[in-house]
Amino acid sequence: MSLSEEANKFSRDKVQWLLENQCRIPVRSTTPISYYYKTADNLIEQADHYFTTNQFEQSFILYSRYITLFVEELKQHHRDYPNVSINDRERVKDIIRTKALPRAEELKDKLKEKYIREYEEKQKTIDEDEEDNLKITATTLSCAPINIQHKNKLTSQQLTDNYVQLPLTHIASSLLSTTNHNFGQMSNKPDKTTYDYSQETATNSINPNKMLYRQISIPNDITLKFLQVAEQNTAKNVYTYGILAGNKKENNEYMITHIVIPKQNGGINSCYMEKQEEEEMFEYISNNNLITLGWIHTHPNERVFLSSIDLHRHILYQMLIQEAIAIVISPKFNQTEIFSMTDDRGIPVISACQMSDIHQHVNHPPLYVISSHTNYDLGLECKIIDLRH
């Protein structure tokens, strides 16, 4: 295979990896379908920003998420899709037809060109290094007949591995084919497990995600206020859960202003809501023009980390708004931490996983890390909306 053919194959595979591993938002049928329609507007707003600032990969991912969500995922997996109003359907179709799809096609071509250049430049560097090594070897051999072993030379396959961090799961057709807009199906095989749930502790790494996240300002009193409303559950070793909601600042960054606590059924390692309870929570957020910026919960008798159940809950929030965070509080160990899932590992692994309840995932490289795009703001106060009463 020539260098040109290798570069073209590499570029196609990398775009395909993005489509298969970054663009399918898991749909929960218990989450009101109106939440997806309202929150997905943020995907377009974010994608537009990245498009105008020439951040092509980020923009391509977000436009593709929007297209996939409405063309495939909600139709196939949400029981209330037939009840969506004609106005909402037509509005989304118009966004896909006039903006999301044309821009995604344009960006796909630009990304392929970019990846080809990167591959060829990397290969050129490798060839130059190998040539230098050969010159050094020849010089050395002319001086003394010693035996030299050359190690760690990169092959073309190793070069590809440097870019593609996870194995590809090839699908029948490209998600955004210019001639066929029937979206392909991805592999949904769960990740193989190698360690115990008890070892699923938080990483100390700072977020290595490549996307440029906007800052989220967090009220300085958020931990204290949430612990106060969770006190009764904590005494019974029961989890308490709430949604982080807020708005945008004038500088287009986010700020958390509310915790909305729904009616819920808590246990010793999780809590859950019925469909009606989740609808009530998101209805409050929508009616008060708030944005869902993640969630917060307690670990009454454990340290802070994200369990498999937590990861499956969080992925929806972060794939709709990439800055969305998970705050975990451990009253027993006096710990509070803020987490985000990793783009290159956490999102593809969890979005493809079909398991539920407590299960296992390989956590190396990390599925989630400590968030690096948050700050505590003394000028913000957290408002608690407790819908349990």
Side-chain angles (χ1 to χ4, degrees):
M1 187 182 293
S2 67
L3 175 60
S4 176
E5 291 172 332
E6 288 180 357
N8 276 284
K9 182 180 185 303
F10 169 75
S11 69
R12 291 193 303 269
D13 284 350
K14 188 163 184 181
V15 169
Q16 189 72 9
W17 186 90
L18 292 177
L19 291 170
E20 295 177 4
N21 293 278
Q22 294 288 339
C23 299
R24 292 192 178 276
I25 300 174
V27 170
R28 295 196 300 257
S29 61
T30 56
T31 299
I33 198 166
S34 58
Y35 168 74
Y36 293 95
Y37 273 82
K38 181 177 176 60
T39 308
D41 290 341
N42 290 281
L43 288 175
I44 294 298
E45 184 270 329
Q46 289 177 311
D48 289 347
H49 170 72
Y50 288 134
F51 186 84
T52 57
T53 54
N54 296 324
Q55 299 175 66
F56 297 146
E57 189 170 283
Q58 293 95 321
S59 183
F60 174 73
I61 288 171
L62 296 182
Y63 282 131
S64 299
R65 282 182 188 174
Y66 188 91
I67 295 166
T68 308
L69 177 65
F70 290 108
V71 173
E72 286 190 40
E73 299 301 320
L74 288 175
K75 279 184 177 181
Q76 295 176 9
H77 302 299
H78 205 293
R79 59 192 176 195
D80 290 335
Y81 181 79
N83 301 326
V84 175
S85 69
I86 294 178
N87 288 340
D88 281 341
R89 291 191 192 188
E90 290 303 317
R91 179 178 66 84
V92 166
K93 284 182 182 178
D94 186 63
I95 291 172
I96 292 175
R97 182 177 63 251
T98 62
K99 179 185 285 187
L101 188 58
R103 286 190 173 179
E105 290 284 5
E106 177 185 347
L107 290 165
K108 182 173 68 172
D109 291 338
K110 288 183 176 180
L111 286 176
K112 284 183 177 180
E113 293 174 1
K114 174 177 179 287
Y115 298 150
I116 287 173
R117 289 196 304 271
E118 290 177 353
Y119 187 95
E120 291 176 342
E121 289 171 2
K122 188 72 173 179
Q123 186 62 55
K124 182 180 178 181
T125 301
I126 292 170
D127 291 343
E128 290 174 351
D129 289 344
E130 289 180 343
E131 184 177 347
D132 290 342
N133 287 337
L134 288 173
K135 289 179 180 178
I136 294 171
T137 302
T139 302
T140 304
L141 289 173
S142 66
C143 297
I146 59 176
N147 184 26
I148 297 176
Q149 293 183 348
H150 296 286
K151 299 180 179 180
N152 299 326
K153 289 184 181 179
L154 291 177
T155 64
S156 296
Q157 182 60 46
Q158 288 172 316
L159 171 64
T160 304
D161 292 340
N162 283 342
Y163 282 86
V164 184
Q165 298 176 356
L166 295 177
L168 291 171
T169 51
H170 295 287
I171 57 177
S173 60
S174 174
L175 173 63
L176 297 175
S177 170
T178 53
T179 58
N180 181 7
H181 293 158
N182 294 322
F183 286 31
Q185 297 296 318
M186 68 177 289
S187 171
N188 287 322
K189 294 181 180 179
D191 195 44
K192 293 183 180 179
T193 61
T194 61
Y195 80 112
D196 296 333
Y197 168 78
S198 59
Q199 297 174 320
E200 195 166 15
T201 55
T203 175
N204 290 323
S205 302
I206 299 298
N207 196 342
N209 290 339
K210 296 178 182 178
M211 288 192 179
L212 300 177
Y213 287 178
R214 288 173 283 193
Q215 283 285 311
I216 297 182
S217 296
I218 302 172
N220 198 54
D221 62 351
I222 195 168
T223 297
L224 177 62
K225 286 191 173 179
F226 190 67
L227 283 176
Q228 288 172 346
V229 297
E231 187 174 6
Q232 291 185 4
N233 279 350
T234 301
K236 296 182 289 185
N237 196 26
V238 169
Y239 274 39
T240 305
Y241 158 85
I243 283 286
L244 302 171
N247 282 293
K248 286 182 183 175
K249 297 180 178 180
E250 292 182 359
N251 63 1
N252 208 35
E253 294 179 351
Y254 291 114
M255 60 180 176
I256 293 171
T257 55
H258 294 66
I259 296 178
V260 183
I261 303 175
K263 297 183 180 73
Q264 57 195 262
N265 298 296
I268 61 172
N269 56 21
S270 67
C271 56
Y272 67 93
M273 297 170 287
E274 300 295 342
K275 181 174 183 292
Q276 182 178 354
E277 296 164 347
E278 195 165 7
E279 286 176 347
E280 182 183 15
M281 176 183 68
F282 285 120
E283 183 178 3
Y284 177 89
I285 292 171
S286 177
N287 290 344
N288 288 273
N289 296 314
L290 296 171
I291 301 170
T292 301
L293 295 173
W295 64 303
I296 184 171
H297 70 287
T298 56
H299 283 184
N301 203 36
E302 297 176 294
R303 295 187 180 275
V304 294
F305 63 94
L306 292 181
S307 69
S308 55
I309 295 176
D310 296 339
L311 290 167
H312 279 268
R313 182 186 296 277
H314 181 69
I315 191 171
L316 170 61
Y317 305 136
Q318 189 169 326
M319 289 194 76
L320 285 170
I321 296 183
Q322 60 186 9
E323 288 85 359
I325 56 176
I327 301 179
V328 185
I329 304 173
S330 171
K332 179 177 179 179
F333 295 97
N334 193 29
Q335 292 178 314
T336 299
E337 199 54 83
I338 306 168
F339 297 118
S340 299
M341 293 178 66
T342 52
D343 293 321
D344 61 345
R345 173 66 176 163
I347 285 178
V349 168
I350 301 303
S351 64
C353 178
Q354 299 297 303
M355 300 178 70
S356 59
D357 298 323
I358 296 174
H359 54 283
Q360 301 168 340
H361 286 287
V362 178
N363 199 34
H364 306 287
L367 300 173
Y368 65 97
V369 289
I370 295 171
S371 303
S372 59
H373 62 287
T374 61
N375 62 277
Y376 285 100
D377 189 336
L378 291 172
L380 287 177
E381 291 187 5
C382 180
K383 186 175 182 180
I384 301 291
I385 306 298
D386 196 339
L387 302 177
R388 296 175 298 176
H389 307 302

